[in-house]
Amino acid sequence: MVNAIICHGVKFKDEFDKMEIPFCASYWYPWLQQKLILAGVPTQVPSFTNSWLPARSYAADVDILSRQQIDADTIMIGHSCGGGLLVKYLSENPGIKIGHLILVAPWIDAQHQFPQYFNNFAPSPDLSSRVGTMDLFYSSDDHYGDMIIQGCKKLESIYPDMRVHRFTDRGHFSGGMREFPELWNLCNVFLQNNML
């Protein structure tokens, strides 16, 4: 049975402290979760503990992620650091196969700014052979600049069959962005092909 997991990103501590809702309920995450649930897809948006820099821990994130149902029917969506988490986790676990991986402005730490989390990992070139479909979204006006763009270019070179969706006006796909129809359309196509 198709299921979905949406992995949120990270904030700086002062921004995180000002939040009035859980981070996992911000941006477009609840909108997409609702669309998937209405389509009959159980969808989790796990709340990763200590989701601020520099406290975020890869080991703690893996502990939470590994409790989710992940199999060949799973759609995994990662935004920012959540995208980096998925690339690293799937790279380090070659026995896991999933149906669809969607990375939204993923932060894979190409500039080695957060070694305590990413530990200079290298995305596994064989990851694409264990994923039914891979999609990457990024925007040239991302306010994190090269921190995100360099990582996206690196992923494009490692996974040449990955579908890339480039924008010029979406920033980091955050802030006031409450809906993400292009992402939903991809999920919907996957569902139409896999929920017959």
Side-chain angles (χ1 to χ4, degrees):
M1 182 172 108
V2 175
N3 70 306
I5 302 166
I6 303 169
C7 296
H8 65 75
V10 69
K11 284 190 171 287
F12 291 102
K13 182 73 164 87
D14 59 335
E15 296 173 321
F16 194 90
D17 289 343
K18 294 175 188 171
M19 294 189 73
E20 296 177 0
I21 59 172
F23 194 12
C24 62
S26 59
Y27 311 140
W28 42 267
Y29 311 149
W31 176 84
L32 182 61
Q33 181 181 30
Q34 181 72 357
K35 297 286 272 185
L36 287 161
I37 288 170
L38 288 172
V41 179
T43 304
Q44 300 298 317
V45 188
S47 184
F48 295 104
T49 56
N50 300 329
S51 292
W52 57 84
L53 294 175
R56 189 150 177 180
S57 161
Y58 178 70
D61 286 359
V62 166
D63 181 55
I64 292 167
L65 189 59
S66 64
R67 297 179 202 182
Q68 309 301 312
Q69 175 186 331
I70 302 172
D71 58 35
D73 293 323
T74 303
I75 302 168
M76 299 189 85
I77 302 157
H79 178 219
S80 193
C81 187
L85 163 64
L86 293 182
V87 173
K88 183 174 180 181
Y89 179 74
L90 293 170
S91 291
E92 292 180 347
N93 291 278
I96 297 175
K97 295 181 180 182
I98 65 169
H100 197 173
L101 176 63
I102 305 171
L103 305 171
V104 180
W107 180 32
I108 62 167
D109 200 30
Q111 297 178 329
H112 309 293
Q113 296 172 317
F114 195 20
Q116 62 268 38
Y117 189 90
F118 289 102
N119 198 22
N120 298 324
F121 94 102
S124 172
D126 79 340
L127 175 59
S128 59
S129 69
R130 297 183 280 113
V131 175
T133 308
M134 290 179 71
D135 285 277
L136 170 68
F137 286 87
Y138 72 93
S139 187
S140 60
D141 69 338
D142 194 303
H143 55 265
Y144 291 110
D146 283 345
M147 190 170 96
I148 299 300
I149 303 297
Q150 283 182 9
C152 290
K153 296 290 187 186
K154 182 175 182 176
L155 291 172
E156 283 186 78
S157 68
I158 297 170
Y159 308 117
D161 294 333
M162 177 173 58
R163 299 182 301 195
V164 179
H165 311 270
R166 295 177 192 88
F167 294 84
T168 59
D169 60 352
R170 297 296 177 90
H172 196 56
F173 300 85
S174 57
M177 190 169 167
R178 299 291 178 248
E179 297 181 359
F180 198 161
E182 298 88 352
L183 178 49
W184 163 243
N185 290 341
L186 284 180
C187 293
N188 197 29
V189 168
F190 179 83
L191 298 179
Q192 290 173 10
N193 292 331
N194 292 278
M195 291 183 73
L196 303 175

